[in-house]
Amino acid sequence: MRIQTRTQVAIIGAGPSGLLLGQLLHKHGIDNVILERQTGEYVLGRVRAGVIEQVTIDLLDEAGVGARMHADGLVHEGVQICVDGVRHRISFKEMTGKAVMVYGQTEITKDLMDGRAAVGAPTIYAAYDVALHDISSEKPRVTFRADGKEQELLCDFIAGCDGFHGISRKTVAPTAITAHERVYPLGWLGVLSDTPPVSDELIYVRHPLGFALCSMRSPTRSRYYIQCSLAEDIESWPDERFWEELKPRLDQEARDRLVTGPSIEKSIAPLRSFVAEPMRFGRLFLAGDAAHIVPPTGAKGLNLAASDVRYLSQAFIEHYAEKSDAGLDHYSDRALARVWKAERFSWWMTMLMHRISDNSFDHKIQLAELDYLFRSKAAMTVFAENYVGLPY
Ligand code: APR
Ligand code: PHB
């Protein structure tokens, strides 16, 4: 016997997209259930990027989960770019009047989970074999197995917030969806360590040995990345080897200030640009990584997930409160317009900062573009506008 329940919006995935959507809908009295295939502990164990745009900060505040972020997050008014050992600064404040917040995605996920628990909204973790049905009808359904029981969730709409490897996008007929993809021939090897950051601001590093990034989570916790080959095996990267590869890519001041220590997390992430169009299929709406991926250069992943959720939550609110489907009808076009601009910026910054090829022409073009960036107020403004986040 199948256990049958009902909700207004069934949300697949309890990552940042699903949790934030759930919180905003709950605030507006829209009933929702989140189905997540992993456990809560597993979801919180994933280390991801940590730069938040002002518009994302505002949305987290609106969802009522911003208090810890404001207390512990670090406001950054600029960023540093190091080219072949020489450091330059771009001021967001001066160019745009805005700033970003450095606060880990893991912490945001925890704040969202706590917020959801506080309002008593249901999340079913360890939900297996999630399958979407009848998405083209007025009565979509989701079947799954949890607590050893077969279950069925009847709903008005399904929000596919289940990331790049999720089931939602795969449910759609291949003829109804167009995928645009670019895979880069490299990855980022990341290390988290309880050591003070080398600088008060992030340093993106372009170097003949390859890209590096000095980031942070707090005044006592650093996050570093170096460009690596996709064939790399994490087991062949003891901490000492990581620090030895990072050091020569930095400028002298950063090298002098670098405090090394044991890693508390180490992982390799591939670099990929991906967009699936459209983002709506009948009563199924995709949001976040389920619909698009950016390479991490520029830290747009979480921010794009948040902007999708903003458009989608408003569309659901309009549907239930004002009986208008205009927001739902425009969701895909609105979300994709912003997605493509962030895809462009992430691709551009990736191509600018990495050692992508051994072609000396490519290297010279990178250097010319960087030189132009540091000398032109117009170019710096374009960079800063995109980094702090384009308006909705
Ligand atoms: N059934 C239920 N849940 C699933 C399924 C499934 N078949 N497949 C995946 N999930 C869950 C995953 O376990 C994960 O917790 O969906 C969630 C998706 O979360 P994310 O991958 O974090 O995606 P999203 O919420 O869109 O967040 C986007 O995360 O990957 C970063 O760069 C990205 O910062 C961005 C943010
Ligand atoms: C991070 O701190 O993990 C981080 C910061 C900026 C990026 C990517 C990742 O562009």
Side-chain angles (χ1 to χ4, degrees):
M1 260 291 284
R2 212 168 236 170
I3 301 172
Q4 206 176 55
T5 47
R6 209 199 122 68
T7 190
Q8 288 175 303
V9 181
I11 301 175
I12 318 299
S17 303
L19 287 166
L20 183 56
L21 179 63
Q23 202 67 8
L24 291 166
L25 294 184
H26 180 87
K27 221 185 118 199
H28 288 269
I30 301 170
D31 202 34
N32 62 89
V33 174
I34 301 183
L35 303 178
E36 164 62 53
R37 83 169 154 196
Q38 305 288 355
T39 63
E41 296 76 56
Y42 181 95
V43 171
L44 280 180
R46 298 189 289 225
V47 176
R48 299 237 173 107
V51 178
I52 309 168
E53 298 172 353
Q54 184 62 51
V55 284
T56 305
I57 297 172
D58 296 343
L59 198 60
L60 290 165
D61 282 336
E62 196 186 320
V65 296
R68 208 164 62 96
M69 169 183 69
H70 287 291
D72 296 349
L74 308 169
V75 175
H76 281 203
E77 297 187 349
V79 72
Q80 320 243 331
I81 299 183
C82 181
V83 180
D84 302 352
V86 181
R87 227 193 288 173
H88 305 260
R89 177 172 191 267
I90 296 179
S91 167
F92 305 141
K93 209 65 195 173
E94 215 177 296
M95 300 299 148
T96 68
K98 294 184 188 159
V100 294
M101 177 85 86
V102 173
Y103 185 63
Q105 182 174 319
T106 314
E107 304 308 318
I108 293 176
T109 308
K110 184 169 185 319
D111 295 343
L112 285 163
M113 274 182 176
D114 291 349
R116 191 163 177 88
V119 297
T123 307
I124 300 177
Y125 286 99
Y128 302 113
D129 300 334
V130 169
L132 317 186
H133 308 273
D134 307 330
I135 58 170
S136 306
S137 81
E138 302 231 313
K139 293 182 176 172
R141 304 174 289 127
V142 185
T143 53
F144 60 100
R145 189 163 42 81
D147 288 333
K149 298 183 192 90
E150 298 297 326
Q151 311 208 23
E152 182 173 46
L153 181 61
L154 309 178
C155 54
D156 300 334
F157 299 102
I158 301 173
C161 300
D162 46 353
F164 184 64
H165 300 287
I167 191 69
S168 300
R169 194 181 67 250
K170 292 179 193 142
T171 301
V172 177
T175 47
I177 196 162
T178 307
H180 309 276
E181 184 167 37
R182 176 170 196 136
V183 178
Y184 304 85
L186 47 96
W188 279 18
L189 172 59
V191 156
L192 192 65
S193 71
D194 275 329
T195 52
V198 286
S199 153
D200 291 341
E201 292 179 340
L202 269 61
I203 312 175
Y204 287 89
V205 182
R206 188 263 180 211
H207 193 276
L209 291 172
F211 171 83
L213 170 60
C214 308
S215 183
M216 66 196 75
R217 291 291 174 273
S218 76
T220 58
R221 182 170 286 187
S222 300
R223 179 71 165 160
Y224 294 103
Y225 299 93
I226 55 172
Q227 171 181 344
C228 67
S229 126
L230 275 178
E232 221 51 77
D233 175 7
I234 197 89
E235 298 303 322
S236 56
W237 282 91
D239 293 348
E240 304 72 50
R241 182 172 173 210
F242 180 86
W243 298 121
E244 287 314 310
E245 286 281 341
L246 173 68
K247 250 184 235 162
R249 301 180 192 203
L250 308 180
D251 57 280
Q252 192 59 49
E253 188 190 341
R255 260 201 298 267
D256 292 344
R257 291 188 58 172
L258 180 68
V259 182
T260 61
S263 64
I264 49 177
E265 194 268 355
K266 198 188 289 159
S267 51
I268 294 178
L271 267 62
R272 183 196 298 269
S273 297
F274 173 88
V275 182
E277 297 182 314
M279 288 170 64
R280 178 200 183 160
F281 307 89
R283 294 216 157 203
L284 166 65
F285 295 81
L286 302 180
D289 277 18
H292 42 75
I293 295 280
V294 285
T297 336
K300 290 290 167 224
L302 172 68
N303 294 296
L304 274 189
S307 62
D308 289 353
V309 164
R310 182 172 178 275
Y311 295 125
L312 188 55
S313 59
Q314 283 181 348
F316 283 139
I317 293 161
E318 273 172 40
H319 171 85
Y320 286 108
E322 297 162 24
K323 310 256 176 286
S324 161
D325 281 350
L328 291 174
D329 292 340
H330 291 133
Y331 167 69
S332 182
D333 288 345
R334 274 188 190 147
L336 283 165
R338 195 168 191 276
V339 164
W340 274 113
K341 292 187 193 82
E343 290 283 346
R344 186 207 69 81
F345 179 66
S346 307
W347 159 83
W348 172 79
M349 210 176 154
T350 300
M351 299 303 281
L352 184 65
M353 298 300 296
H354 291 79
R355 187 185 175 106
I356 303 255
S357 80
D358 292 327
N359 183 324
S360 64
F361 183 85
D362 294 350
H363 296 178
K364 289 285 186 183
I365 290 292
Q366 282 183 329
L367 293 175
E369 182 138 23
L370 284 158
D371 191 41
Y372 174 62
L373 175 63
F374 303 133
R375 286 170 194 270
S376 158
K377 197 169 173 195
M380 276 194 277
T381 305
V382 169
F383 179 94
E385 257 177 19
N386 281 275
Y387 198 95
V388 302
L390 296 174
Y392 284 138

